[in-house]
Amino acid sequence: MEYTGSQYIGEFVDGRMEGEAEYILPTETKYVGEMKDGMFHGQGTLYFPGGSRYDAIWEKGLVVKGTYTFSDGLQYDAEHWHYCDTYDRRFYTEICYGLKPAGISQLTNMDPPRKIPPGCYDCGDGFYNPTTRIVKDYKNRFLRNAACGILVP
């Protein structure tokens, strides 16, 4: 743990993480659920710093089945995904609370929208600067370098 910056709160069996546990990654993403032989195993949830979550059934560290829920409550469904598609371009908050009056556009799902630094793009977990090719979180802390071929709107 000291090398990865992670934190484990839970039971051990034969020196391995096993049983009900909490595993906190250095990115502040937190796993709460069952562990077996040092891996996510059984039911568990990943909680992301932005407020979204991933509820899943895990087997030896791999997802068997899961559901992603955005911070605003919208659940991702690969088979019946009707959010912001070619038939309905409204944001989820507009679907829930209605459209703004004419002349008042909603440019993001957040209302009011967060202020995006000049020349940058909001990529969901921070701001991407195409000049530096760096993504910083919303508190201006380094998140990652952008990979080659990254697509930005």
Side-chain angles (χ1 to χ4, degrees), residues 6 12-13 18 39 59 61 63 69 73 75 80 83 86 90 100 123 132 135 137 143:
S6 300
F12 288 89
V13 173
E18 195 156 319
M39 296 178 276
E59 189 171 317
V63 173
T69 306
Q75 281 193 341
H80 304 95
Y83 168 69
T86 55
R90 292 178 296 165
K100 300 276 185 207
C123 57
T132 62
V135 178
D137 70 9
L143 275 182

Side-chain angles (χ1 to χ4, degrees), residues 5-136:
S6 300
Q7 182 182 6
Y8 177 76
I9 303 162
E11 304 167 21
F12 288 89
V13 173
D14 295 327
R16 294 177 99 38
M17 298 178 283
E18 195 156 319
E20 289 295 318
E22 228 177 85
Y23 189 90
I24 304 164
L25 299 156
T27 59
E28 298 176 23
T29 297
K30 178 170 56 172
Y31 172 81
V32 177
E34 300 172 57
M35 301 279 288
K36 185 174 181 182
D37 199 25
M39 296 178 276
F40 301 168
H41 191 85
Q43 278 195 276
T45 301
L46 282 171
Y47 295 93
F48 299 98
S52 60
R53 62 189 276 170
Y54 187 66
D55 300 291
I57 297 171
W58 306 80
E59 189 171 317
K60 297 181 180 177
L62 301 174
V63 173
V64 174
K65 182 180 180 182
T67 303
Y68 184 83
T69 306
F70 294 89
S71 59
D72 59 10
L74 175 67
Q75 281 193 341
Y76 177 72
D77 181 348
E79 292 179 28
H80 304 95
W81 187 245
H82 299 296
Y83 168 69
C84 208
D85 62 12
T86 55
Y87 300 105
D88 188 351
R89 300 295 294 169
R90 292 178 296 165
F91 290 107
Y92 184 63
T93 51
E94 292 174 318
I95 293 169
C96 293
Y97 305 112
L99 295 171
K100 300 276 185 207
I104 302 175
S105 298
Q106 187 168 331
L107 301 175
T108 72
N109 194 45
M110 291 184 73
D111 189 26
R114 63 173 62 91
K115 186 162 174 50
I116 300 173
C120 293
Y121 300 93
D122 188 336
C123 57
D125 59 350
F127 299 118
Y128 169 67
N129 183 326
T131 305
T132 62
R133 299 178 45 134
I134 291 175
V135 178
K136 291 187 177 182

